[in-house]
Amino acid sequence: MSLNPTIFGNPIPKSSLKKAEKAFKKYSKKFKFDPNNYPKLTSVPMPQAYEEFGIYKVVKDEPGLEGVKPIIAQNSLMIGTIRMGFGHYRMALAIASAAKHAGLTPYWLDLMSFPDSAGSKTIQYLENLYNIGSRLSQKLKLFDKWIWEPITSQVAKGLAYTARDKALARLFEPNLRNLPKDIPFISSHPWTGHAAVHAGLK
């Protein structure tokens, strides 16, 4: 699958497309990505969040699950997020609260909920790198000023950086493939949004 050379009609430099494809191939090989391997999905009441927000967590359908609820598109909202820091979770909880208030069933899809998948392993690996950089930035002022601050505040601002996110999202797409295609989907992180588009969701 080749990347679209434009984003919202804006051309993406070939160098950015090549870097994005290189990143995809790197993690695909590292974590033995198999695009034909995807989980059958269902949902269960989300601990500590069901009572307050009515959230059902999307999980792999396995024997022994309790409170299983089939994922139904009607009067529902699928919320894509990542258990990586607290910001994405806070946004997702706010969306779930609004969905419940509107009379919708909020489903919670966390890309880290599939630990055996190449997608979850990639996210965990990248999060570990981020945590290392974050800790170093607190200890080393020069590292923070000349490396960490530019990376976290400037690098991802460019539209071309989206090409990398779209490429990596191909690793996450199988974990969404079994969802109903007509269920409304909203994302609190670019990766879940791109993965949903790759999976053919709304």
Side-chain angles (χ1 to χ4, degrees):
M1 180 189 297
S2 59
L3 290 172
N4 192 325
T6 65
I7 296 178
F8 301 120
N10 299 287
I12 301 301
K14 290 184 178 180
S15 59
S16 296
L17 294 174
K18 287 182 179 179
K19 288 179 181 178
E21 191 64 24
K22 184 177 180 180
F24 166 75
K25 290 180 179 179
K26 172 185 175 180
Y27 295 115
S28 179
K29 181 179 180 180
K30 184 178 182 68
F31 298 114
K32 299 179 174 59
F33 175 58
D34 179 2
N36 296 314
N37 183 17
Y38 61 94
K40 180 181 178 183
L41 302 175
T42 189
S43 72
V44 295
M46 185 171 172
Q48 300 179 327
Y50 175 75
E51 292 78 7
E52 189 72 24
F53 302 104
I55 297 174
Y56 283 88
K57 183 178 181 180
V58 176
V59 296
K60 182 179 179 180
D61 192 359
E62 297 178 310
L65 292 175
E66 297 182 359
V68 172
K69 174 184 172 64
I71 300 171
I72 301 172
Q74 187 176 7
N75 296 323
S76 302
L77 179 66
M78 183 65 61
I79 304 168
T81 189
I82 300 178
R83 187 172 62 254
M84 187 170 63
F86 296 105
H88 310 301
Y89 254 41
R90 284 196 293 265
M91 287 186 284
L93 282 173
I95 295 168
S97 177
K100 181 185 178 184
H101 183 73
L104 303 175
T105 298
Y107 290 100
W108 184 279
L109 189 142
D110 179 358
L111 285 180
M112 294 295 284
S113 294
F114 311 95
D116 295 332
S117 70
S120 289
K121 290 177 181 178
T122 298
I123 294 171
Q124 186 64 64
Y125 177 80
L126 293 174
E127 183 183 21
N128 289 341
L129 291 180
Y130 180 90
N131 290 338
I132 291 172
S134 181
R135 287 194 293 269
L136 286 175
S137 71
Q138 296 173 34
K139 297 178 181 179
L140 305 173
K141 291 184 178 180
L142 291 179
F143 174 83
D144 181 57
K145 180 178 180 180
W146 296 108
I147 299 177
W148 192 244
E149 181 64 22
I151 287 176
T152 56
S153 64
Q154 299 298 326
V155 172
K157 279 187 175 181
L159 193 60
Y161 193 81
T162 302
R164 181 177 180 273
D165 285 341
K166 290 179 69 175
L168 290 180
R170 287 149 60 189
L171 297 169
F172 317 138
E173 178 273 332
N175 293 332
L176 283 70
R177 194 178 299 170
N178 191 232
L179 293 175
K181 302 304 181 188
D182 58 342
I183 190 168
F185 189 96
I186 191 167
S187 174
S188 70
H189 191 286
W191 287 345
T192 53
H194 287 305
V197 172
H198 284 311
L201 275 71
K202 288 187 176 181

